[in-house]
Amino acid sequence: MIMFMKMMMVENFRQFLHVFVVVMFLLFTKSALGLSLRAEEDAKTKCIERERQALLKFKDALIDDYGRLSSWGSDEDKKDCCKWSGVGCNNHTGHVTIIDLHSSHDYQQLRGQISPSLLELQHLKYLDLNENNFSDDIIKLRNLSNLHHLNLSGNYHLKCENLEWLSHLSLLSHLDLTNVNLSKATDWVQSINNLPLLKELRLSSCTLPAITTHPPLPFNSSASLSILDLSRNNLSSSIYSWLFNFSSSLINVDLSRNQLKGPIPNSFGGMISLTNLSLHHNHLEGALPKSFANLTRLRSLDLHKNNLTEELHQFLQKLSGAEDSLEVLYVGYSRLSGSLPDFTRFSSLIELSAGYNQLSGSIPEIFRQLPSLVSLELNGNQITGSLPDLSMFPSLMELDLRDNQLNGYYTQKYWTTFQA
């Protein structure tokens, strides 16, 4: 019996020891896990010291007249740069990945130079300095190889004599250099061709050099380009040979206020994904190509101030594919002629601007069947008859019929703005 009791005591001790070991293991694991979670939480809220110092050097090179960077500093309550205004960090690593210091008002602009200390931020993916007043050479940014989004638009004093540095930013998907002087960047087409992931390109008002050669697109070129703004650059029709390489991907194209001449190319009709096309203030002439009937997703077409010598009803026939999608049509100052045609097949039409053409006849009653029409501009034509009953336009907010040959009303009454 005594031997049996001893054996039981030994067995119970073994079980106790086993349970004790398991409990201690679980407690240790929980403690270690807690430390790990706390460490991860710390990484979420505290930036890397080296990167914090780099941001402070960046700030020191700026003139901040309005205290936009007042949250940036070395005080104890400002040490976490991940909480600074305009700065974003990776939640797990603490690395700075976002700098967004765009200005929406002239009086809030930051001034000064872009400090080379930014190059310490090797994990930076998003840099937006839009509408400030920086003055520096931006080529140094070539070393920020992880950038996906770069917006330096509106900084009129930035310098850039070439765009070769863009080839080091192969991850770029959004690039906006609007108003940056690129008049010496003769390599701009080749440089853009070397950005395989580029989706949005805005180079408006950059004084871009004319295209004299047409470098072939490399194998990994930007086949995904969907938004292109090259407006206000005095570009000639030589841009077409490069532009139409992206026919299948482009959604928004703005080539307004350039020096495009001659007929509108048929190749625009091959841009089957196109939703917005702006070609206003050029020297395009003739008729709209029949190929435009292929643009079944077209929502906005702006050909304002060109020389389109055809009748308006013929023009509209070329847009038959967009009858269900077209919302905005601007064709003012374009030498279109003929009477006002039936617009009702464009059931989604919101804005129609056809002022200062050579349109004649009366305003058809059928306009009342455009339930979405908000703005109608027919001023400066040869429209006759009486001012129509405004009940014809159930949703109209703006109507401009000035400078026509309408009867019975004073000229100043031909323009009306309706109150919501």
Side-chain angles (χ1 to χ4, degrees), residues 243-263:
L243 172 70
F244 295 131
N245 285 301
F246 309 101
S247 291
S248 62
S249 61
L250 284 170
I251 296 175
N252 295 343
V253 175
D254 190 345
L255 293 175
S256 61
R257 295 184 183 273
N258 280 292
Q259 295 295 322
L260 306 180
K261 298 179 180 180

Side-chain angles (χ1 to χ4, degrees), residues 268-305:
F268 276 111
M271 296 181 174
I272 57 175
S273 298
L274 204 60
T275 61
N276 300 291
L277 176 60
S278 183
L279 300 172
H280 67 84
H281 284 82
N282 278 287
H283 305 284
L284 299 168
E285 58 189 35
L288 194 69
K290 293 180 180 179
S291 62
F292 269 61
N294 299 327
L295 303 181
T296 59
R297 302 178 185 180
L298 193 64
R299 294 172 54 192
S300 174
L301 177 61
D302 190 347
L303 289 166
H304 184 76
K305 283 212 170 181

Side-chain angles (χ1 to χ4, degrees), residues 378-393:
L378 297 173
N379 51 310
N381 282 286
Q382 300 167 16
I383 298 173
T384 57
S386 299
L387 190 69
D389 182 357
L390 296 182
S391 64
M392 289 173 55
F393 311 100

